[in-house]
Amino acid sequence: MEGEVYELIDALEASKGQPSKDLVLEFLKSLRQSRVSRPHDVLSFGLPVVRSNGASSSEMWVLYEQIFLSALELGKSDVQDKCLNQLRQKFEGSQRVDRLYGMTFENESNYREAISLYEILLEENSANLPAMKRIAACFKALGDKQSFGEQMGSIMKAYPADATSWAELAESYMSVCAFEEAIFCLEELILLAPLTAAYHTRLGEALHARALGLSSNGSIKSVKCTTCYILVFAMYLDYCSEILYLCSLSFYIFPYSPNIVWPH
């Protein structure tokens, strides 16, 4: 998906400042689908489209939201306010638009106000996953680890198959050296996305860190773990994703294969 984004960027550059409307819309849609953050490009190409009403009615409102998020990221308050006003006028009472309004509070570091707004949204719809995630993000920004953990627990209870939440929870455990908990989260994450090499690599890091923490005498298990850890990142630096994936799998193999021969 990201490859398509960069192909479209090349096409936009080849247009010498005069891209077709269809090319611009395809590029902006590709950014949304791949979740690639290029806020400057979104404003540069998206604003002329909405100002000229150059998109279909349904796509126009999606563009307003996309431009709002990019303006929020860049601190362009005038652009974000105009987009938000347009959306609120069109979709009065929409929880999705209200959530965007809450994000303006977050951008101003008014996290408590944002949490209050999100909690109102949850009272209206207790299954509002985006609102639940925004509350967790606010607690994390406030440094309230206990509330953050409780909120993430609520999310995982309601949505046990949400991969991004497992990844976020794993990173929070890794940050405080709670490797057992991080390993559990990463294993759940791999069950959801078994072909994502980055998750296997992160699990390898957690297993490595746990082995070093449990091994005060430099056991052979810790040595093997460190060896594989070095191999993983050597391959990562060479951008060999397939070898990286296979190397990360060795973390599962070596506890059960004491006589394994490691490469030199």
Side-chain angles (χ1 to χ4, degrees):
M1 188 65 72
E2 289 188 22
E4 180 183 351
V5 170
Y6 294 111
E7 288 177 4
L8 291 169
I9 291 173
D10 291 339
L12 288 168
E13 292 176 349
S15 67
K16 298 180 180 180
Q18 295 182 331
S20 66
K21 182 188 71 175
D22 290 341
L23 178 59
V24 169
L25 292 176
E26 186 180 358
F27 171 63
L28 294 172
K29 181 179 180 180
S30 180
L31 287 178
R32 293 194 300 270
Q33 292 178 338
S34 63
R35 299 186 179 183
V36 173
S37 177
R38 296 184 68 92
H40 290 94
D41 287 339
V42 170
L43 295 187
S44 177
F45 293 110
L47 283 174
V49 173
V50 296
R51 286 170 179 165
S52 63
N53 292 318
S56 64
S57 177
S58 59
E59 190 168 17
M60 183 67 71
W61 300 112
V62 177
L63 286 177
Y64 270 116
E65 182 182 34
Q66 187 176 12
I67 293 169
F68 166 82
L69 294 172
S70 295
L72 195 69
E73 187 174 349
L74 296 175
K76 302 286 187 180
S77 58
D78 55 334
V79 176
Q80 77 182 40
D81 291 343
K82 289 178 181 178
C83 291
L84 187 57
N85 288 336
Q86 290 287 339
L87 289 166
R88 297 189 81 179
Q89 290 175 15
K90 177 66 177 178
F91 303 101
E92 185 177 357
S94 166
Q95 285 205 341
R96 181 166 175 172
V97 175
D98 286 343
R99 177 168 49 85
L100 298 180
Y101 187 55
M103 292 175 69
T104 64
F105 287 135
E106 293 183 58
N107 195 49
E108 298 166 355
S109 299
N110 295 326
Y111 299 112
R112 293 299 177 185
E113 292 185 44
I115 291 172
S116 298
L117 176 57
Y118 298 140
E119 287 177 342
I120 293 173
L121 299 182
L122 287 175
E123 288 176 2
E124 298 173 359
N125 177 14
S126 60
N128 191 329
L129 178 59
M132 297 172 74
K133 288 185 175 182
R134 294 316 316 163
I135 291 175
C138 288
F139 283 134
K140 184 176 181 179
L142 288 168
D144 189 343
K145 295 181 180 179
Q146 180 177 351
S147 297
F148 170 77
E150 291 173 354
Q151 182 64 21
M152 290 302 299
S154 299
I155 293 173
M156 302 318 307
K157 183 178 180 180
Y159 295 95
D162 185 67
T164 57
S165 295
W166 282 115
E168 177 66 28
L169 194 56
E171 290 304 314
S172 68
Y173 282 131
M174 289 287 283
S175 68
V176 295
C177 301
F179 300 120
E180 288 291 347
E181 292 81 357
I183 289 169
F184 174 81
C185 294
L186 289 164
E187 287 174 343
E188 291 293 324
L189 187 58
I190 288 171
L191 287 175
L192 295 172
L195 299 181
T196 304
Y199 297 157
H200 290 276
T201 305
R202 195 61 171 150
L203 178 57
E205 292 182 61
L207 289 167
H208 162 74
R210 184 185 65 175
L212 292 182
L214 295 176
S215 177
S216 59
N217 60 352
S219 68
I220 187 64
K221 179 178 179 179
S222 180
V223 172
K224 287 181 178 181
C225 196
T226 305
T227 302
C228 192
Y229 174 79
I230 294 171
L231 285 171
V232 165
F233 280 91
M235 298 306 167
Y236 178 77
L237 292 174
D238 289 335
Y239 304 102
C240 299
S241 58
E242 293 83 2
I243 300 177
L244 171 64
Y245 173 77
L246 292 173
C247 195
S248 296
L249 288 180
S250 62
F251 281 105
Y252 307 112
I253 297 172
F254 75 76
Y256 310 106
S257 304
N259 297 321
I260 188 171
V261 177
W262 292 83
H264 299 287

